[in-house]
Structures are given as structure tokens and as C-alpha cells.
Amino acid sequence: MTTLDLTTSVLRAAPAAPATPVRGQGYWRGVARRLRRDKTSMVCATVLGLILLAILLAPLLAPHDPYQGSMAMRLKPVGTPGHLLGTDELGRDLLSRLLYGGRLSWFLGIVPVLIACLIGSTLGIVAGYAGGWVNMVIMRTTDVFYAFPSVLLAVAISGALGPGIFNAMLSLTLVFVPQIIRVAETTTTAVRNHDYIDAARSSGAGALSIMRTHVLPNVTGPIFTYTTSLVSVAMILASGLSFLGLGTRPPEAEWGLMLNTLRSAIYSQPLVTLLPGLCIFLTSLCFNMLSDGLRGAMEVRR
């Protein structure tokens, strides 16, 4: 599924903004209550929490230095004494590198999405509320980015900027901003026509005050849900950039880069080679399923 398809599906499945303003703690308590009832979401949240805890405690849990290896111990299988998950092509402990590599993979998956969310939400809300030529300029500029598949756009930007963590983050941010603008603009346009917005205008409230007080609380749900689903996409794209040599560079530990360096051993030690890919798959799957649970929990029940 392309990110354009993902945007379309989220816009269709995301709960429509309520006809009355969402205020107070009651709404969010209801979201938490409905989310707790979803066993699948709770399992995914638990798995993600355990993975996050493990990578944060990497200095305490890692049995070896992730950057030190021995050629005498290269490509040892899973279960080797002293190396629970085996070793990589340079004899470095794979468990240690997976723990430390998770830090960079999560960082590249979350930070670009958060930055894109701040920029995209602001532009999308302004475009949806202002309408007219403001909407036309922002949305037509956004449409230009939809002419390119997300993967190719990320690769092109990273290739132009050169390899490196910062450049990878910048390319991912530029890829996700237009998608979040589209979601924010669509939900804001629906909210703009409600009676309580007209009442706020009649009371003399300014546009900035209305967007902050009345629009933002009512579009947070769809934007947050879609942003959560983008984390898994960002992690996969970041891993792909590292795999292609456009993201993280050796000797850094990062799941995508580890896949690239271990691919030559896929026939001699297939399980060792697949472990970074399994980490990416499990984390992305849990983020996607948790996003689906959030989408259902944020639906306002009447």
C-alpha cells in the first residue's frame, strides 16, 4: 500500500469531527477506556513498550560493546555461548547491536514524523480554515509532492543531500509534510462549517483564536491517528535509506544498515541475517495495529 492509499484510507475511516466542540477530560477518558477494551491494541502497546524499554536500557542489557568484534567470532549462529543471538560479519555481538540499533531506528521513525506533524498540521489547518487563495496555494503545492511515490521521493532527496542521519531525517520530514497537510486540511474544512464556529465568529473572536480554541481540539483525533500510522512507514523508509547507503553509515548500529551489511551471509546464517528485519517488521506491525485501535477509540459515540 502506498502512502497515498494510506492517506485516503485514513481519511475515509477516521472519525468525522464532532458537531460540538470536544472539550474537557471526558473525551480523552473515553478514548482511553475504549482503547483498553481493545485487546489487540493493548498487546501491541505492551510489545512496543517492552521494545522501547529494552533499547533505552541498552547500556545495561547489552552483554558486549556493539562496536567491538573479533574476526575469529564472525557470523556465529544463534545460541552461541556468550552471544545469544550470534554475531555479525565482523564478529560483533548481534544482541548488543540490535539493542543499540533500535535507538537510532526509533529516532529516525519518530522525530521526522513529529516535525512533519507540527509543520503539516499548522499549514493544513490554515489552509482548511482560510479557504480561498490561501487554500489553493498550499494545496496545489502539496499536490506536486503527490506526483512522486514516497519511496522514490525520499531516495531522491537523500541522494541529492548526501548520506547521513540529518539528511535522512530531513528527507523523511519533507515526504510526510504534504500527507499530513492533506489530512489536516480535509478535517478542518469539515469543522469550519459547524455552528459553533459561526457563533465564535459572531462573538468577535479572531481567526487565530478560533483555530486554536475551536478547530484544533476537533481535528486532533484524525491527525494524531494518521501521524501514528506514519511512524511505521518512517521506520521502514529510514531502514531502506540506510540499506541503500543513503542514511546511517557504518559503524553505527541501525536495523536497516545491519540488514545491508548482513545480506551477504543470508545463505550461511539465514536466521542471523533476518533478525534486524524481524525487528523492523514487528515494530512496524505493532505501530500499524495500534494506530487502527486509536482510530476506533477516537470515534465519538453518541
Side-chain angles (χ1 to χ4, degrees):
M1 177 183 290
T2 64
T3 44
L4 179 58
D5 296 333
L6 181 59
T7 306
T8 305
S9 64
V10 169
L11 288 174
R12 290 175 178 172
T20 56
V22 176
R23 294 180 180 175
Q25 299 298 320
Y27 170 75
W28 294 108
R29 287 175 181 170
V31 170
R33 183 174 61 254
R34 290 189 289 271
L35 191 62
R36 285 196 298 268
R37 293 173 182 169
D38 188 341
K39 295 182 179 179
T40 301
S41 297
M42 287 296 95
V43 170
C44 291
T46 301
V47 172
L48 290 174
L50 291 175
I51 295 175
L52 180 60
L53 183 63
I55 63 178
L56 291 177
L57 298 178
L60 300 177
L61 298 178
H64 299 279
D65 187 331
Y67 301 105
Q68 257 189 347
S70 170
M71 294 306 293
M73 295 294 294
R74 64 186 302 269
L75 292 177
K76 293 297 180 180
V78 174
T80 299
H83 300 282
L84 182 62
L85 297 182
T87 59
D88 66 4
E89 75 286 352
L90 296 178
R92 297 170 295 194
D93 183 68
L94 200 57
L95 175 58
S96 301
R97 289 187 63 78
L98 286 173
L99 290 172
Y100 278 91
R103 290 178 159 192
L104 202 48
S105 294
W106 277 58
F107 180 80
L108 290 173
I110 293 176
V111 173
V113 172
L114 289 179
I115 298 174
C117 182
L118 291 175
I119 299 173
S121 298
T122 302
L123 292 175
I125 291 173
V126 170
Y129 182 81
W133 68 268
V134 175
N135 181 288
M136 184 181 67
V137 170
I138 294 177
M139 299 314 298
R140 296 299 76 78
T141 304
T142 299
D143 290 341
V144 172
F145 289 89
Y146 278 104
F148 307 94
S150 298
V151 176
L152 294 182
L153 184 59
V155 170
I157 296 174
S158 294
L161 297 175
I165 296 176
F166 177 79
N167 290 340
M169 287 179 53
L170 181 58
S171 66
L172 292 175
T173 301
L174 293 176
V175 166
F176 293 134
V177 165
Q179 300 167 23
I180 297 176
I181 289 177
R182 175 67 66 186
V183 175
E185 188 269 342
T186 302
T187 52
T188 302
T189 300
V191 169
R192 183 185 62 187
N193 299 321
H194 288 158
D195 293 338
Y196 60 87
I197 300 295
D198 293 333
R201 290 197 196 100
S202 301
S203 67
L208 184 60
S209 175
I210 293 174
M211 285 189 286
R212 184 182 66 252
T213 307
H214 300 287
V215 175
L216 182 59
N218 289 285
V219 301
T220 299
I223 294 174
F224 181 73
T225 301
Y226 183 66
T227 301
T228 305
S229 68
L230 283 181
V231 174
S232 61
V233 180
M235 294 186 70
I236 294 173
L237 287 179
S239 298
L241 292 177
S242 296
F243 184 87
L244 295 173
L246 297 174
T248 311
R249 291 177 287 185
E252 292 294 335
E254 195 270 335
W255 290 342
L257 181 61
M258 292 170 66
L259 268 178
N260 185 22
T261 57
L262 284 168
R263 60 179 175 170
S264 60
I266 192 170
Y267 295 110
S268 59
Q269 293 293 346
L271 184 56
V272 170
T273 305
L274 293 176
L275 284 175
L278 290 175
C279 292
I280 297 171
F281 171 77
L282 179 62
T283 305
S284 301
L285 179 65
C286 288
F287 268 114
N288 269 331
M289 298 184 73
L290 182 59
S291 174
D292 290 339
L294 281 171
R295 185 182 305 137
M298 285 185 174
E299 182 180 355
V300 178
R301 317 274 184 181
R302 294 185 178 86

